[in-house]
Amino acid sequence: MTKRISKSTVLEVLSVLCVILNSGGNPKVRSIAILGVSALALLIKKRKWTKLSTIVSLLLISYFTLNVCIVNGSRIDIKEFVVLLIRVVCCMIIASNISFDRFFYLYIKIIVCLCCMSLFWLSLLLIGIYPPFVSYDSGIYASAFQTIGFKLSERRNSGVFSEPGLFQIHINLAFISLNYSKQCIFKKKNLVIALFVFTILTTKSAMGYGCLLISLVTYFINNREIGHVFGSIRNRNEFVFFVGVLVLLFELQFHVFTSFITSWSSYTSRHDDTILGLLIARDHPFFGIGLANNNRIIWESYFDKLGTLSLYDPYNVGYLSDLASSNGLINCMYQGGILFTILYSYMIIKTYIQRFFVQRWVERTAIVLFFIMVFMGEPYMLTPIFLIFIYYNKNRITLNEVSYAS
């Protein structure tokens, strides 16, 4: 007999999928309304949340409200502010009703499905067959099946996400989480790892390759089969450290990695975005210029501080004059404030290390570097996939859940 899927399981899968799609999905698949409905349905079904989650939500909402109301020369974007508040509430509900282990069990499985689907549609694109219902929306050509890109001729793998860089973030997060998961999620784990690696390579994302390198290092350290060849985990830690030192010395001498990064088409944009963001954060260190504000005027006022070789310029002579803010970490810093960004990043990384029981210093260092690279990759630090970590802080295990049954 086939096992019947419960309503709770369906709601859990839908909620996790909505968290993923509302964290970088293209305009066809992301919907804050569906995220809200799925979280509400989950709450009605399971009827619980934790006291600490409620307190954390109130603190976040209070800070976000204070942040956007601070007089800084920019006007509040009501729609963006409401979306931010809905994310906070939905993450609170989902984290209260789906355990951390269960969330990432479903998260990894969903990412595997999205990888398979993306490779199928990418293979069709390579022979000139486009997915159905493609349209131009928010600057990209996309359908609910696959994102093509800024041009119809693009052949980088974005999956159903707005950009390849966003897709690789989710794959790498699933990869490194699978490395540390104590659950038996797949019988053929190595096959899934190979799928992740191949899919990341098809995104052609420089930051994705950097994150993949860290994911592979953690896989090397934790894989038992590799241990038969390289010995104990301690030996592998020492080996990784030794290789890392050699790579650093090699890079200092030959600048191979630096040349690779600077040759990438998005390098100039990311360089300028980083410098601009740091300049604004320096002038607005405490509360930033607003997480849900229209900051275009302030952003453009800093163009003339970059010099004549910059991507942006105040006279519109360069080939790009729009707001990009591609460095997520710096983006959060100049919009939300330096202290908030440090505390927020720390809580995400701390929660991940504690929940996945990452003990050794080499691996903890790798996790910290991984998240810093992920945060810097795209301006999506305040999307649900990262916000939800705040509610999974290990301290909440000791708190009693409050049931709201009728």
Side-chain angles (χ1 to χ4, degrees):
M1 293 179 64
T2 57
K3 187 177 180 180
R4 186 178 179 183
I5 301 176
S6 67
K7 291 181 180 179
S8 293
T9 300
V10 173
L11 290 175
E12 287 174 349
V13 172
L14 179 61
S15 296
V16 177
L17 178 61
C18 286
V19 166
I20 294 171
L21 296 181
N22 279 275
S23 303
N26 72 42
K28 303 292 183 183
V29 298
R30 69 172 183 260
S31 170
I32 193 66
I34 296 179
L35 174 64
V37 170
S38 65
L40 181 60
L42 191 65
L43 178 62
I44 293 173
K45 179 64 179 177
K46 296 195 172 185
R47 302 182 182 184
K48 58 184 179 182
W49 66 70
T50 64
K51 292 180 180 178
L52 182 58
S53 293
T54 306
I55 295 172
V56 171
S57 290
L58 291 175
L59 288 174
L60 285 173
I61 290 172
S62 297
Y63 181 78
F64 292 157
T65 303
L66 175 66
N67 170 265
V68 300
C69 292
I70 291 292
V71 178
N72 52 30
S74 59
R75 294 186 303 173
I76 182 174
D77 186 330
I78 297 297
K79 179 181 177 182
E80 192 66 27
F81 181 60
V82 171
V83 167
L84 190 57
L85 298 188
I86 293 175
R87 288 174 182 172
V88 169
V89 175
C90 289
C91 286
M92 177 193 73
I93 294 172
I94 293 170
S96 297
N97 290 279
I98 304 176
S99 70
F100 182 86
D101 290 339
R102 177 64 173 169
F103 180 91
F104 272 94
Y105 174 86
L106 296 174
Y107 178 83
I108 293 169
K109 289 212 163 189
I110 291 171
I111 295 300
V112 167
C113 293
L114 293 178
C115 285
C116 293
M117 186 174 76
S118 73
L119 292 175
F120 170 75
W121 287 109
L122 180 65
S123 62
L124 292 181
L125 280 172
L126 292 175
I127 59 175
I129 300 176
Y130 290 86
F133 312 115
V134 173
S135 62
Y136 188 73
D137 192 1
S138 301
I140 58 172
Y141 291 93
S143 76
F145 302 94
Q146 181 83 357
T147 301
I148 298 172
F150 299 109
K151 298 179 291 185
L152 284 173
S153 59
E154 286 196 26
R155 294 298 180 265
R156 295 175 64 192
N157 192 357
S158 299
V160 292
F161 297 88
S162 295
E163 295 183 21
L166 293 167
F167 191 20
Q168 66 81 13
I169 286 175
H170 286 281
I171 306 172
N172 271 304
L173 183 58
F175 183 177
I176 205 167
S177 299
L178 182 60
N179 290 341
Y180 285 104
S181 178
K182 301 298 186 289
Q183 307 175 79
C184 182
I185 302 178
F186 300 101
K187 292 182 179 179
K188 297 183 178 180
K189 181 178 177 179
N190 290 339
L191 186 61
V192 175
I193 296 297
L195 173 67
F196 286 159
V197 172
F198 181 72
T199 310
I200 291 170
L201 292 177
T202 62
T203 65
K204 301 178 183 178
S205 167
M207 190 65 76
Y209 294 167
C211 292
L212 175 60
L213 178 61
I214 297 177
S215 299
L216 288 170
V217 167
T218 62
Y219 175 68
F220 170 77
I221 293 173
N222 286 282
N223 189 284
R224 292 182 179 180
E225 296 177 4
I226 293 177
H228 296 313
V229 179
F230 288 90
S232 67
I233 292 179
R234 180 178 179 180
N235 290 341
R236 279 176 275 168
N237 285 343
E238 293 173 352
F239 178 78
V240 168
F241 178 75
F242 178 70
V243 172
V245 171
L246 289 180
V247 170
L248 179 61
L249 293 174
F250 180 84
E251 174 61 21
L252 290 174
Q253 179 65 33
F254 298 103
H255 309 291
V256 173
F257 186 71
T258 303
S259 299
F260 171 74
I261 294 296
T262 56
S263 67
W264 220 254
S265 59
S266 61
Y267 169 76
T268 308
S269 172
R270 293 185 181 280
H271 171 272
D272 286 6
D273 290 342
T274 300
I275 299 301
L276 277 174
L278 287 173
L279 290 173
I280 299 173
R282 180 198 63 185
D283 295 340
H284 303 269
F286 299 109
F287 296 101
I289 59 175
L291 287 164
N293 292 41
N294 187 346
N295 300 315
R296 187 182 188 94
I297 295 176
I298 296 178
W299 176 268
E300 292 180 346
S301 70
Y302 281 79
F303 284 176
D304 59 355
K305 298 185 179 183
L306 287 173
T308 57
L309 298 179
S310 66
L311 177 68
Y312 302 106
D313 64 79
Y315 310 108
N316 204 24
V317 177
Y319 64 90
L320 181 63
S321 59
D322 315 353
L323 174 68
S325 304
S326 58
N327 188 321
L329 185 65
I330 304 301
N331 185 64
C332 188
M333 195 176 292
Y334 86 76
Q335 289 187 330
I338 295 174
L339 180 60
F340 167 77
T341 303
I342 292 173
L343 290 175
Y344 180 61
S345 304
Y346 170 77
M347 287 302 298
I348 293 173
I349 297 171
K350 174 177 174 284
T351 300
Y352 192 92
I353 288 174
Q354 287 186 338
R355 285 289 188 166
F356 278 113
F357 303 101
V358 183
Q359 301 295 327
R360 290 173 288 274
W361 67 269
V362 171
E363 294 169 90
R364 288 192 172 199
T365 302
I367 295 297
V368 171
L369 290 175
F370 175 83
F371 273 100
I372 289 175
M373 292 180 68
V374 164
F375 293 155
M376 292 178 68
E378 297 288 344
Y380 282 84
M381 282 188 68
L382 289 172
T383 54
I385 191 57
F386 296 123
L387 267 172
I388 203 166
F389 276 96
I390 305 301
Y391 296 98
Y392 280 127
N393 186 279
K394 200 170 182 179
N395 293 332
R396 71 190 287 272
I397 294 175
T398 61
L399 298 177
N400 294 323
E401 290 183 338
V402 182
S403 178
Y404 293 83
S406 57

